Amino acid sequence: MATATNYTVRLDADLRREAETLFAELGLNLSTAFNIFLRKAVDEGGIPFEVRRRRPNAETRAALLEAQALLDDPNTTWYDSSEKLFEELDK
C-alpha cells in the first residue's frame, strides 16, 4: 500500500458543508471523495468531467432567442429613451 500524505486545500465553507453532506449520504468522507477524484483524473489523463460554463435554463435560452429574433427583425421598433417608448404606448 502506498504511503499516505497530507495536503491542505482551501474551500468555501458553504461548499465544504454541502459536499460533506452529499458525500456522507453516499457513505464517503471528504478525503475519500478527493481520492476518488484524483484517481479518476490520473486514470483518464485529465479532469474526469467536462469543464465548461453553465448553460442557461430553458426560460433564459428562450428569452435569448427572442431577443436575437428582435435584433434580426428589420421591422422592430427601437426607442432612444423610455419616455419615447411610453409616449408610443399611451397612443
Side-chain angles (χ1 to χ4, degrees):
M1 181 172 161
T3 304
T5 185
N6 290 326
Y7 186 81
T8 303
V9 178
R10 286 190 177 272
L11 300 172
D12 175 82
D14 292 334
L15 176 61
R16 179 181 177 164
R17 280 191 293 277
E18 289 179 30
E20 285 175 329
T21 298
L22 169 65
F23 296 135
E25 291 172 2
L26 298 172
L28 304 169
N29 61 28
L30 204 51
S31 179
T32 302
F34 274 125
N35 274 290
I36 290 170
F37 168 77
L38 293 175
R39 287 184 190 279
K40 187 72 172 167
V42 169
D43 287 347
E44 293 194 17
I47 295 175
F49 49 82
E50 279 189 64
V51 177
R52 61 181 182 188
R53 292 179 290 175
R54 289 185 179 204
R55 292 187 60 192
N57 64 27
E59 184 178 359
T60 302
R61 285 194 306 273
L64 291 169
L65 289 172
E66 182 182 357
Q68 188 61 54
L70 287 170
L71 287 171
D72 294 340
D73 183 353
N75 297 316
T76 298
T77 303
W78 298 98
Y79 300 95
D80 295 333
S81 68
S82 58
E83 289 83 14
K84 289 182 181 179
L85 168 64
F86 288 118
E87 285 173 13
E88 184 69 26
L89 290 173
D90 286 338
K91 288 183 183 179

